[in-house]
Structure formats: C-alpha cells, structure tokens
Amino acid sequence: MSASSPQPAGIPFLKGHGTQNDFVIVPDPDGLLTIGPEAVAALCDRRAGIGGDGLLRVVRSAADPAAADLADRAEWFMDYRNSDGSIAEMCGNGVRVFARYLVEAGLAKPGELAVATRAGVRTARVAEDAEDGTPGEVTVGMGHVRLPGPDGIEVAVGERRWPALNVNMGNPHAVAFVESLDHAGELRHAPLTSPEGVYPEGVNVEFVVDRGPAHVAMRVHERGSGETLSCGTGACAVAVAAIRRDGLDPAVTGEAATYTVDLPGGRLVITEHPDGRVEMTGPAVIVAAGEIDARWWATLVG
C-alpha cells in the first residue's frame, strides 16, 4: 500500500464496564456485521486484542433474526457473547453497560428504556449524572427468578464439596455458601457440579460468604469466561439464594427483600419482589472509544 493510498475505514468500538465486568462494545445498528466466535475471542483477548469478559453488539432488534420478534417491545438488541465466543442468554452487568452506551450515544434518553436480550426484554432505568459529572447508576429489571431444582445439587473444588441451589435468572447458576472465598480456588476452570448432566449447557458457579445482615460477598466462575470480577445475573442469583436461606422469601412474606452483594469489582444492590421480579442497581461506565484496525478486522472475519 503506497503512502498516498487511503487507509481502509476501521470498525468503531467502545470499552465499558460494570463493577469491573468489562466489555468490548461494537455498534452495528443495521445488523451489517458478522462476528463469529473466533472474532469475538480475538477481540476479547487481553494481550492480542482489545480485552474484555465479553462482547456487546448493539443492533436494532428488527435487524437481527434473534430479536426480531421483540422489536415491537424494544428497539435495541443486546447481542451478548462470552469472551470465548459462545453465546449467552443474558448478562446483567452487560445490560447496564449497554443502556449506558445507548444514552451516551444519544440513542436513548436517561430514564426508563427497554433492551432486548436472548432471555427476553429487560427494562433499564438510567439515572441522571451527578453534578460533578459522575455517571448515574443503572437499575435493571432482571426478570423473574426461577428455582428449577432438582434438590441434591453439589459443587466441588478439590476435596471440598458444598450443597448448591439451582437458580435461573434467564441463565443457569449454582450458588454455594462457603466458609471462605479462598475455598473456591483459582476458578479459571469450571468447578465440578453434580449430579452429572444437571447442567448440559454449562453453568455459572457462585461461592458466597456472609458480611453482615442482608450483606454477602461472592466470587464467580462464569461459563465461557472463567473467573470475572463481577457477574450481574450471578449477584442476583446469590441474593435470591441468601433470601431463601434466611427465610425471607418475598412470595411468602409479601414484602420485598433487598440484599447488598460485594463482588471483587464493586458492589451491587439486589431487590426481589413478592411476584418474583428481581432488580439490580449498580454503576456502568464507558471508558474509551476508538476504531478496530480494518486490516486486522479483515483477518478476523475474512
């Protein structure tokens, strides 16, 4: 290529995080990009790519077959991929960051907005920024929790084993209460779960300790990503499990229950309502914007 030849146009991207659960954001409003698993993994690579726990592709629901049937309820679809390129149904921190991007890009206004996901439509409320410019927190309606069973699920790390609660937040979670978060081990590899076959598509595994009344801390192995510094659906699953353990099931008491969940990357506040709806509140920040080099991009998608 001569010095006078025009450079090919790059692909716009942004980088954002919610309690340090970080994402590569690729705007694709008209659904013109094809980003396969290998390209996602390359973009999320922390040494040879941009780096992230996952990728958020921003596309109009009507432009993507995976969300076209939701277009009358939500203009925008969060096409979420894990860092290994696999598809996930839902990502709570991702929804917060996705909503933050829509507002900062002028595609939505602060306040309430709908986001289509593979787990259905989620409603986000983006608070106005503080006077000092600090981005307002984002609350996400995470849908209805399900406790599909069965009883007798266990999680194992080395020689240690713990009973676990199967919690579904649109994606599967196994929640285990432990004596120390160190007992979770390195969490690069998925902890063992039993009985065999209970999670045929894999599972997110949370390890939980108490910090005080209605206050817990956790570590998580996210399927397809390894240990992450935060997992929004995991925090919701942990709060639901703690609420059940503490005998505060809102469906029984008739009162909402709110728990604070500390993660390695920050703090989230989770509320479960008597009808099973779960809400999550926490920060979401866009930290950078740029262009993916067109020639490198061509090696990923060519």
Side-chain angles (χ1 to χ4, degrees):
M1 179 181 294
S2 69
S4 60
S5 299
Q7 294 289 329
I11 305 298
F13 82 93
L14 301 94
K15 183 72 182 289
H17 78 92
T19 51
Q20 298 186 48
N21 193 190
D22 63 333
F23 308 96
V24 179
I25 305 163
V26 178
D28 182 25
D30 298 317
L32 301 179
L33 299 178
T34 299
I35 310 177
E38 295 81 7
V40 172
L43 288 166
C44 291
D45 189 294
R46 296 193 181 278
R47 292 176 176 83
I50 298 168
D53 293 323
L55 180 139
L56 306 176
R57 175 172 159 264
V58 184
V59 59
R60 287 188 174 87
S61 300
D64 193 302
D69 61 340
L70 301 176
D72 60 336
R73 299 170 54 198
E75 180 180 4
W76 295 99
F77 171 48
M78 183 183 77
D79 178 14
Y80 177 68
R81 319 291 181 88
N82 295 313
S83 62
D84 66 354
S86 60
I87 291 174
E89 302 92 337
M90 174 60 181
C91 176
N93 287 322
V95 173
R96 295 205 322 280
V97 173
F98 191 92
R100 167 66 58 201
Y101 165 76
L102 292 179
V103 170
E104 292 200 1
L107 300 173
K109 296 179 180 180
E112 190 168 293
L113 59 101
V115 175
T117 76
R118 287 184 172 84
V121 174
R122 298 293 183 258
T123 299
R125 294 193 305 275
V126 182
E128 296 279 358
D129 292 350
E131 290 185 4
D132 64 0
T134 301
E137 291 196 322
V138 182
T139 297
V140 176
M142 298 290 288
H144 288 74
V145 63
R146 293 192 297 114
L147 302 174
D151 294 332
I153 292 175
E154 288 189 330
V155 169
V157 175
E159 298 300 317
R160 292 189 173 95
R161 304 182 69 87
W162 303 272
L165 183 65
N166 185 6
V167 182
N168 193 289
M169 290 300 311
N171 56 357
H173 297 265
V175 181
F177 290 90
V178 298
E179 299 82 13
S180 168
L181 292 180
D182 291 340
H183 292 171
E186 43 84 15
L187 285 185
R188 290 192 300 274
H189 303 94
L192 297 177
T193 57
S194 60
E196 185 177 354
V198 69
Y199 296 111
E201 297 180 353
V203 63
N204 305 288
V205 182
E206 288 82 22
F207 297 86
V208 191
V209 296
D210 288 299
R211 288 286 186 254
H215 186 183
V216 296
M218 62 175 277
R219 290 176 62 198
V220 58
H221 173 93
E222 288 196 61
R223 58 176 180 171
S225 296
E227 182 172 16
T228 60
L229 295 180
S230 183
C231 175
T233 56
C236 292
V238 163
V240 167
I243 288 166
R244 297 301 182 283
R245 181 201 61 177
D246 295 342
L248 299 174
D249 182 352
V252 175
T253 66
E255 297 182 357
T258 297
Y259 273 56
T260 298
V261 181
D262 289 341
L263 307 104
R267 174 171 289 181
L268 296 170
V269 176
I270 313 298
T271 298
E272 182 185 357
H273 296 275
D275 62 0
R277 289 181 299 112
V278 177
E279 290 186 322
M280 172 185 62
T281 299
V285 183
I286 304 298
V287 299
E291 283 191 348
I292 302 166
D293 182 82
R295 289 167 293 183
W296 185 66
W297 178 262
T299 69
L300 303 181
V301 300

